[in-house]
Amino acid sequence: LWTGPGPAPARLRERVTRVLQGHIALATARFPAGVAGPHLDALARRALWDAGLDYDHGTGHGVGSFLSVHEGPVAFSRAARVVALREGMILSNEPGFYATGEYGIRLENLLLVVPADLPHAAKPFLCFETLTLAPFDRALIDPALLGPAERAWIDAYHARVLAEVAPLVDGDTAAWLAEACAAL
């Protein structure tokens, strides 16, 4: 959340947008059954790598029934064990970027592994359903850096957040949420 003063600096907006692009790339991945988290980690890093940037943590971890913060056996990380993702697993999607002494960025949602709807696929494919419903700070997104599919994903995600959350909150909060979830 940007608190100012003034508008967010362009460099910060560019880096937040790159982290968001990585978040979207992972959230929208479709992959063959048998693929493991380490195989998908690079998807979340690509937009940062394109700019010569990276982060020094895993992209995500399992979330499960024993309330462990980083519950295995699955994770999105270069150092994670190679354990195939399976339907019903829940993992965090949390790419980030850190500028030492300045700021840190981490965009996090939870993902549920579900079957992908690919009727002509030669073998079973999986994908993710996003479980977390909270708007991304539009003041930190540079829409000019986004491709059409990325913009469409953000707008659809925000529309879902508004549709599912607004009926559960008071009028003032619903009005704030409508503004926060407006189309890019």
Side-chain angles (χ1 to χ4, degrees):
L1 178 63
W2 176 253
T3 59
R11 185 172 136 208
L12 175 61
R13 292 180 69 223
E14 181 260 336
R15 289 180 174 176
V16 168
T17 303
R18 287 185 179 280
V19 171
L20 181 57
Q21 287 174 306
H23 183 95
I24 294 167
L26 187 56
T28 60
R30 292 177 174 208
F31 49 94
V35 164
H39 303 138
L40 300 177
D41 182 72
L43 297 176
R45 297 174 187 273
R46 168 121 192 241
L48 287 167
W49 287 352
D50 286 347
L53 305 169
D54 196 14
Y55 50 94
D56 294 329
H57 59 80
T59 299
H61 52 80
V63 177
S65 61
F66 293 104
L67 300 177
S68 174
V69 173
H70 298 103
E71 185 165 304
V74 297
F76 301 118
S77 171
R78 293 179 280 209
R81 294 184 350 208
V82 178
V83 176
L85 298 172
R86 295 191 338 223
E87 183 179 350
M89 289 180 167
I90 297 174
L91 297 97
S92 64
N93 175 5
E94 48 183 305
F97 178 77
Y98 304 89
T100 303
E102 294 182 61
Y103 57 84
I105 303 161
R106 179 117 27 144
L107 302 178
E108 180 173 353
N109 279 348
L110 295 181
L111 303 174
L112 173 65
V113 180
V114 297
D117 183 19
L118 295 172
H120 302 294
K123 59 182 173 176
F125 269 66
L126 299 169
C127 63
F128 299 111
E129 174 187 337
T130 297
L131 299 176
T132 308
L133 298 176
F136 293 104
D137 188 348
R138 292 169 65 248
L140 293 173
I141 299 171
D142 184 347
L145 296 176
L146 299 171
E150 293 165 330
R151 287 178 68 114
W153 185 89
I154 294 167
D155 286 344
Y157 172 76
H158 279 157
R160 179 179 169 216
V161 170
L162 184 61
E164 294 189 32
V165 177
L168 306 174
V169 297
D170 64 62
D172 288 342
T173 304
W176 171 86
L177 190 62
E179 185 176 323
C181 291
L184 292 177

